[in-house]
Amino acid sequence: MKAEIRRVGADALAAKGRLGARKWLLARRASQLGILALFLLGPLAGIWIVKGNLAYSLTLDTLPLTDPYVLLQSLLAGHLPETLGIAGAAIVLLFYFLVGGRVYCAWVCPVNMVTDLAGWLRERLGIKGSAHIGRQARYWLLGMTLLLAAATGTIAWELINPVSMLHRGLIFGLGSAWAVVLAVFLFDLFVMRRGWCGHLCPVGAFYGLLGQWSPLRVSATRRAACNDCMDCFEVCPEPQVIRPALKGEANGIGPLIVSPSCTNCGRCIDVCAKDVFNFGLRFAGSGPTVPPVPADGQPLAGKG
Amino acid sequence: MACGVGMLGLGLGLYGKQAAALPALALRPPGAGAEADFLGACIRCGLCVRDCPFDTLRLALPETPVATGTPYFVAREVPCEMCDDIPCVKACPTGALDHGLTDINQARMGLAALLDHETCLNFLGLRCDVCYRVCPVIDKAITLEVLPNTRTGRHAMFLPTVHSEHCTGCGKCEKACVTEEAAIKVLPLAIAKGSLGRHYRLGWEEQKKAGGSLIDEKSMVDLPDRMPEGMRLPGHYDPASGMTAPPGDAAGAAGMPGTTAGPVPSLPPGLGDGK
């Protein structure tokens, strides 16, 4: 029953081994689960390192971290927050401004695990066909949520936001929030490939815009070695961001992936048998002299 | 696409409007403003829930008829213990719970209302008094008003009476009410509190402020009090109807509030005070 078509990532698996071809994936899962575990230690084990949820948290009773997106909605609704809330938002803003906004999506957000599972299952089950919604939809949605906050004077988006519903639910009690999460899962599985995170989620759109000037970027540093296997395009949740960096040499485009949609997930680094990609810094000069960021230097601490 | 997003926004806006209607039995933590303001200020982080030492507060689940993720409590289940240091307010990072609230007695989480006079044991003439006794603001937020028990003709009724000036809405009275379904309930202020209307003036208050009557008392004509046909109220002082029996004469009605004659016949009780 062996499939005729070569499986995506088979080359990388052969070249780098089981661990080597999943380095960033494992780091990402460790980050996502580790952050969730920190939040859960309090309610489950009574060890209160982190209190709250992704909207706002207080770590060790000193470090405030606020979701700037929800705070912005509150501001637009006409409410000026307390100092701690503003300080927390400033810290988070600075962090994602530096490491890339959508690091939140790939390394922190719990919904990512849900949609990744849907994406993986979609591929394993060979589900073809996908509804078409443009990737700009998320920016429309983002604008709508902000307008709605201003128009209604309430944070209306939080009534249905699957991201906060899942995270808050896991920590404070899920209730029927599972249905919303299941809806996202089924949507990604049957209706639209990478539908939620890649096309619709306004939270990701917000963080994308926030981190569009971030210095930490994925770079197709060794793009000359590319053998056109297309695996990176297959695994990338935002494949449109790769092309300019990977194939733009002839047009004088640098190897850095500069799109705000890139989530800095590192899937392309893992899947490339030729090690074309690595993490690089935007301002450290261009070309192959960019120093790779060590695995343990990754933003495991971000819990915006 | 813009159209679809717009429709979604419209739907969400309408849903949000519906979700902004706080159900009668859900109370907000101390320091929460009016519901519409609160929903624009609360980011649903749950820090107030975490810092509540009595597990009173919880975050609304999607199926709860309270805006998802916002903190509330149900008085009949776990009332607010009114901590002196108000940790829930201190924990709030946005000020959705107003940090200006430093005296818990100034909190207005709701307002107690003795809703069911038919099942309240004190109204039935018994001395339950439990709501009065558990009230953290005893003798101010809840007082016992004494009335004669006309059913027995020889006892008094001690009617629990809530005063909105002092009631914090903590819910201890509702929690403690001994009847199967609480006769006294704490409701959100928007539901429990009436409003006279800005044009209303209370004559007796205005008289106190002015230091005397605002009208020419001498030109006042005393009309007979209108009573339902055939009704006689023993001891009722109403010279215009020819009822001038001094209070205390009529059996059974002695000392009943409202039966004490004032010195000026035309004034309702309590208005004249010696003038």
Side-chain angles (χ1 to χ4, degrees):
Chain A
M1 283 287 288
K2 208 161 182 213
E4 294 292 313
I5 312 158
R6 182 189 62 93
R7 274 187 63 78
V8 172
D11 290 357
L13 214 58
K16 302 198 275 193
R18 296 175 74 87
L19 216 59
R22 294 194 178 90
K23 202 170 61 179
W24 292 104
L25 178 71
L26 292 173
R28 241 157 35 78
R29 293 286 179 259
S31 167
Q32 289 164 335
L33 293 170
I35 288 165
L36 199 56
L38 277 177
F39 276 102
L40 283 170
L41 265 182
L44 294 187
I47 303 167
W48 292 101
I49 298 169
V50 182
K51 267 194 284 195
N53 58 41
L54 285 178
Y56 172 84
S57 65
L58 196 59
T59 304
L60 296 170
D61 278 324
T62 44
L63 174 70
L65 294 170
T66 315
D67 176 9
Y69 174 44
V70 74
L71 205 71
L72 177 63
Q73 290 173 73
S74 176
L75 270 174
L76 289 170
H79 179 80
L80 198 67
E82 290 287 327
T83 330
L84 221 51
I86 299 173
I91 295 169
V92 172
L93 280 172
L94 183 72
F95 178 78
Y96 288 113
F97 188 83
L98 292 177
V99 302
R102 296 205 64 198
V103 160
Y104 176 87
C105 301
W107 294 78
V108 178
C109 181
V111 175
N112 178 266
M113 287 186 274
V114 175
T115 56
D116 270 3
L117 180 66
W120 176 82
L121 210 59
R122 185 176 240 274
E123 196 211 331
R124 294 313 292 261
L125 298 176
I127 297 171
K128 300 285 173 208
S130 169
H132 182 76
I133 302 176
R135 287 191 186 262
Q136 306 79 24
R138 52 186 148 194
Y139 296 111
W140 287 96
L141 276 163
L142 172 63
M144 182 271 282
T145 61
L146 297 179
L147 268 179
L148 206 59
T152 63
T154 67
I155 309 176
W157 170 241
E158 281 305 300
L159 291 172
I160 57 163
N161 183 2
V163 177
S164 54
M165 264 194 190
L166 175 59
H167 192 256
R168 193 195 311 117
L170 290 172
I171 297 163
F172 286 89
L174 199 58
S176 62
W178 64 265
V180 178
V181 179
L182 182 68
V184 169
F185 176 79
L186 293 177
F187 178 74
D188 266 31
L189 180 59
F190 292 116
V191 182
M192 191 171 175
R193 185 164 189 259
R194 303 201 188 285
W196 177 254
C197 298
H199 296 76
L200 297 175
C201 178
V203 184
F206 174 86
Y207 279 98
L209 291 176
L210 164 63
Q212 60 182 315
W213 300 283
S214 77
L216 183 68
R217 292 279 155 181
V218 172
S219 171
T221 311
R222 298 180 62 241
R223 55 187 171 184
C226 174
N227 62 356
D228 294 327
C229 73
M230 298 298 282
D231 277 0
C232 56
F233 287 95
E234 273 303 310
V235 296
C236 180
E238 307 276 348
Q240 78 281 6
V241 309
I242 296 179
R243 187 171 185 81
L246 187 61
K247 297 290 162 196
E249 194 160 21
N251 302 327
I253 301 171
L256 229 49
I257 293 176
V258 291
S259 165
S261 297
C262 173
T263 66
N264 276 2
C265 66
R267 282 181 179 90
C268 55
I269 305 175
D270 275 349
V271 85
C272 183
K274 302 286 176 195
D275 280 331
V276 166
F277 300 95
N278 60 11
F279 276 110
L281 292 173
R282 187 192 287 246
F283 307 113
S286 53
T289 52
V290 174
V293 175
D296 55 353
Q298 264 307 296
L300 288 162
K303 350 175 225 312
Chain B
M1 184 186 298
C3 186
V5 171
M7 292 296 283
L8 184 68
L10 190 65
L12 185 54
L14 292 173
Y15 171 55
K17 203 150 205 168
Q18 204 175 27
L22 191 67
L25 293 184
L27 301 173
R28 293 299 187 191
E35 187 64 5
D37 300 332
F38 184 72
L39 291 181
C42 173
I43 58 171
R44 300 123 207 253
C45 68
L47 265 278
C48 52
V49 174
R50 288 295 180 235
D51 281 10
C52 174
F54 298 97
D55 289 336
T56 300
L57 297 173
R58 56 180 122 140
L59 293 185
L61 299 172
E63 66 268 33
T64 318
V66 177
T68 305
T70 56
Y72 74 103
F73 70 100
V74 176
R76 189 67 163 168
E77 288 164 15
V78 193
C80 171
E81 295 288 337
M82 286 174 64
C83 310
D84 277 334
D85 53 346
I86 331 183
C88 52
V89 170
K90 281 189 186 153
C92 179
T94 66
L97 306 180
D98 183 7
H99 286 218
L101 179 74
T102 49
D103 174 9
I104 189 63
N105 287 309
Q106 300 304 315
R108 294 293 177 267
M109 294 167 265
L111 178 60
L114 211 165
L115 292 173
D116 193 355
H117 294 184
E118 292 170 349
T119 54
C120 169
L121 296 183
N122 276 36
F123 266 79
L124 293 173
L126 303 166
R127 286 302 301 277
C128 164
D129 298 2
V130 165
C131 56
Y132 162 78
R133 295 201 179 278
V134 298
C135 177
V137 202
I138 187 170
D139 279 323
K140 287 183 183 156
I142 301 183
T143 57
L144 293 177
E145 303 297 320
V146 186
L147 280 185
N149 184 339
T150 52
R151 179 177 60 81
T152 65
R154 68 183 68 183
H155 300 99
M157 297 198 294
F158 294 77
L159 304 185
T161 308
V162 179
H163 303 276
S164 64
E165 194 189 342
H166 295 288
C167 176
T168 63
C170 71
K172 298 214 97 174
C173 54
E174 182 180 337
K175 169 71 179 170
C177 182
V178 300
T179 54
E180 197 167 309
E181 177 77 35
I184 190 166
K185 285 188 169 125
V186 179
L187 305 174
L189 273 174
I191 298 176
K193 188 83 187 99
S195 168
L196 269 176
R198 272 189 303 176
H199 61 290
Y200 267 83
R201 298 290 180 275
L202 302 177
W204 52 96
E205 298 285 346
E206 296 301 313
Q207 193 182 28
K208 258 190 239 163
K209 265 192 255 165
S213 180
L214 301 171
I215 52 163
D216 180 12
E217 291 287 346
K218 288 201 190 75
S219 64
M220 285 280 285
V221 181
D222 183 34
L223 298 171
D225 292 355
R226 298 210 297 174
M227 302 280 252
E229 201 165 341
M231 180 169 181
R232 258 188 70 83
L233 201 56
H236 180 64
Y237 184 77
D238 181 21
S241 310
M243 288 162 54
T244 52
D249 269 15
M256 194 164 141
T259 57
T260 325
V264 183
S266 65
L267 292 179
L271 181 57
D273 67 293
K275 270 180 66 77

